């Protein structure tokens, strides 16, 4: 594998992750094809190296240096499998950026991803996280039909949508640690004008309600359940509301600050040397304050490695 893929030693991870926290990957590989992705995982297994795969790095924060191999998934394959008058099946490799997939499917007049305009990251991250948009409630996985996974034994396996057991913020990949290699979506044909309108409306709403163009990992904590909302007699299940009610907007530790626009966003306002220990302190501070005021235990949506 050394012959074909460049292995970088001691790669700084900040530039690859949207929160821009400074940690080092002992070994780092960027894969550009499905073969490279599969080979690099099998190589790490053979060498008994711990490994971690990421796509857009928009939902992860490393708080320690990583002692094994970090794999950046930049596979970029989109293929039409089946075409009828009404719908199209497409196969997408897991490293395809969501923004590219949206642009491509809209160009083809295919519905399925238009509400996710502005969602950072890749198809792999969006399926792993079961990423969503709440106006209206739609999941990135809604049009998924099936997928190919790489198992923890290094074998390729075909699964259908049911296998993922999607719920809010959850897919089975979080438990099995299998890797999404590619996914097949069945997308109905729709008028491009309508798709363009939806993407524009979604992006406009996103820009109005979320900090944009800053270093962040998006919503840091999962929203509370509707049952907990009813029990606590709260007007919303939004964790941003709870954090805001604790008076934490603009609260800062080191380079990390609770956003003034959306209190469930932690933003990194430092230019360099943002210390992960400050982020850890801020996370604990927010959780403590929300527990004291509402008796709610916040659960991280962002994965802390
Ligand atoms: C500004 C901003 C706005 C956001 N808005 C939203 C939003 O509207 N809705 C929403 O749900 N989220 C949102 N997020 C969070 C994040 O963008 C999504 O969860 C996104 O889908 C993650 O994709 P990614 O490729 O960046 O994942 P990464 O951060 O790279 O990885 C996330 C997790 O997925 C795993 N993973 C990645 N690829 C694979 C693969 N191929 N196989 C198996 N596991 C894999 C990683 O190991 C990691 O555990 C936002 C984030 C930001 C920064």
């Amino acid at each position: 594998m050394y012959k074909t893929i460049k292995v970088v030693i001691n790669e700084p991870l900040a530039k690859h992750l949207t929160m821009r926290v400074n940690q080092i990957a002992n070994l780092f590989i960027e894969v550009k094809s499905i073969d490279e992705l599969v080979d690099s995982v099998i190589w790490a297994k053979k060498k008994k190296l711990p490994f971690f795969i990421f796509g857009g790095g928009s939902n992860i924060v490393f708080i320690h240096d990583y002692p094994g191999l970090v794999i950046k998934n930049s596979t970029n394959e989109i293929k039409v499998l089946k075409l009828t008058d009404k719908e199209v099946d497409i196969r997408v490799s897991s490293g395809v950026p969501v923004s590219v997939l949206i642009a491509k499917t809209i160009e083809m007049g295919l519905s399925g991803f238009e509400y996710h305009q502005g969602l950072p990251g890749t198809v792999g991250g969006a399926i792993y996280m079961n990423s969503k948009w709440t106006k209206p409630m739609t999941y990135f996985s809604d049009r998924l039909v099936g997928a190919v996974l790489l198992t923890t034994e290094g074998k390729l396996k075909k699964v259908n949508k049911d296998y993922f057991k999607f719920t809010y913020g959850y897919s089975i990949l979080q438990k099995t640690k299998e890797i999404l290699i590619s996914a097949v979506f069945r997308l109905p044909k729709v008028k491009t004008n309508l798709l363009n309108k939806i993407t524009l409306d979604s992006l406009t709403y996103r820009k109005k309600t979320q900090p944009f163009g800053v270093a962040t990992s998006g919503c840091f904590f999962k929203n509370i359940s509707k049952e907990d909302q009813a029990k606590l007699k709260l007007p919303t299940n939004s964790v941003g509301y709870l954090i805001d009610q604790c008076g934490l907007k603009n609260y800062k530790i080191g380079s990390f600050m609770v956003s003034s626009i959306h209190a469930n966003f932690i933003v990194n306002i430092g230019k360099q040397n943002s210390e992960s220990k400050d982020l850890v302190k801020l996370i604990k501070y927010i959780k403590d304050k929300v527990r004291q005021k509402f008796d709610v235990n916040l659960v991280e949506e962002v994965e802390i490695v």
Side-chain angles (χ1 to χ4, degrees):
M1 194 187 62
Y2 277 116
K3 281 186 200 138
T4 53
I5 314 175
K6 191 171 147 211
V7 181
V8 181
I9 297 171
N10 292 337
E11 171 75 352
L13 289 172
K15 63 181 174 213
H16 300 290
L17 312 174
T18 59
M19 186 66 109
R20 308 260 176 257
V21 182
N22 256 338
Q23 300 296 341
I24 303 287
N26 180 222
L27 298 172
F28 178 88
I29 289 178
E30 180 171 3
V31 294
K32 302 254 170 79
S33 70
I34 289 177
D35 284 349
E36 287 182 0
L37 171 56
V38 173
D39 282 356
S40 56
V41 171
I42 290 173
W43 179 75
K45 280 178 185 298
K46 273 197 187 137
K47 297 272 173 195
K48 297 201 174 7
L49 286 169
F51 67 91
F52 185 88
I53 180 169
F54 75 96
S58 62
N59 211 64
I60 41 173
V61 171
F62 285 79
I63 56 168
H64 303 290
D65 290 343
Y66 192 77
L69 174 69
V70 173
I71 302 167
K72 180 176 166 68
N73 181 6
S74 297
T75 60
N76 202 357
E77 298 168 23
I78 301 181
K79 190 171 181 213
V80 172
L81 297 181
K82 203 169 96 189
L83 211 143
T84 69
D85 288 349
K86 291 202 174 114
E87 56 194 19
V88 174
D89 285 3
I90 57 166
R91 187 177 63 218
V92 187
S93 68
S94 55
V96 169
V98 168
S99 57
V100 170
L101 182 60
I102 294 175
K104 180 87 186 154
T105 50
I106 289 187
E107 187 189 297
M108 294 168 73
L110 301 176
S111 169
F113 306 113
E114 56 276 15
Y115 286 106
H116 303 287
Q117 181 77 322
L119 174 71
T122 57
V123 170
I127 294 291
Y128 177 95
M129 298 304 306
N130 197 19
S131 296
K132 71 274 163 201
W133 181 241
T134 51
K135 302 252 179 289
M137 195 68 204
T138 42
Y139 289 94
F140 185 83
S141 59
D142 282 349
R143 300 280 175 187
L144 184 73
V145 180
V148 174
L149 306 180
L150 187 65
T151 67
T152 47
E153 291 82 39
K155 299 261 182 304
L156 292 172
K157 155 168 132 182
K158 269 190 173 178
V159 295
N160 59 25
K161 182 181 177 180
D162 292 345
Y163 178 80
F164 289 88
K165 299 201 178 353
F166 291 117
T167 54
Y168 172 79
Y170 178 82
S171 80
I172 194 102
L173 301 184
Q174 294 172 21
K175 192 171 140 204
T176 63
K177 293 295 164 195
E178 291 161 314
I179 291 171
L180 184 83
I181 297 294
S182 62
V184 175
F185 297 93
R186 182 159 298 154
L187 307 173
K189 289 183 178 169
V190 173
K191 287 206 167 67
T192 303
N193 291 354
L194 176 64
L195 297 173
N196 281 330
K197 183 180 175 333
I198 293 172
T199 52
L200 186 64
D201 289 351
S202 298
L203 192 62
T204 306
Y205 185 81
R206 194 183 273 279
K207 284 185 171 168
K208 220 165 58 187
T209 54
Q210 298 180 353
F212 213 77
V214 293
T216 180
S217 300
C219 284
F220 209 90
F221 302 100
K222 290 182 179 171
N223 284 333
I224 60 170
S225 66
K226 291 282 180 194
E227 293 74 40
D228 282 349
Q229 179 196 342
K231 214 165 64 194
L232 293 162
K233 298 191 173 52
L234 293 170
T236 164
N237 71 333
S238 155
V239 162
Y241 171 83
L242 302 187
I243 299 172
D244 192 10
Q245 290 298 301
C246 293
L248 292 180
K249 273 187 174 170
N250 291 320
Y251 185 82
K252 185 161 85 82
I253 297 183
S255 312
F256 298 95
M257 189 175 89
V258 177
S259 163
S260 57
I261 300 168
H262 189 317
N264 197 13
F265 276 59
I266 294 177
V267 294
N268 178 358
I269 54 172
K271 293 274 178 277
Q272 287 171 341
N273 301 326
S274 305
E275 300 233 22
S276 59
K277 67 175 174 31
D278 291 331
L279 177 60
V280 173
K281 277 188 206 155
L282 181 59
I283 296 166
K284 180 173 181 318
Y285 189 81
I286 296 168
K287 289 173 93 168
D288 286 349
K289 287 286 169 194
V290 170
R291 194 180 308 109
Q292 283 157 18
K293 192 169 171 75
F294 295 103
D295 196 23
V296 165
N297 288 316
L298 295 185
V299 176
E300 286 84 354
E301 178 163 310
V302 171
E303 192 166 318
I304 296 172
V305 188

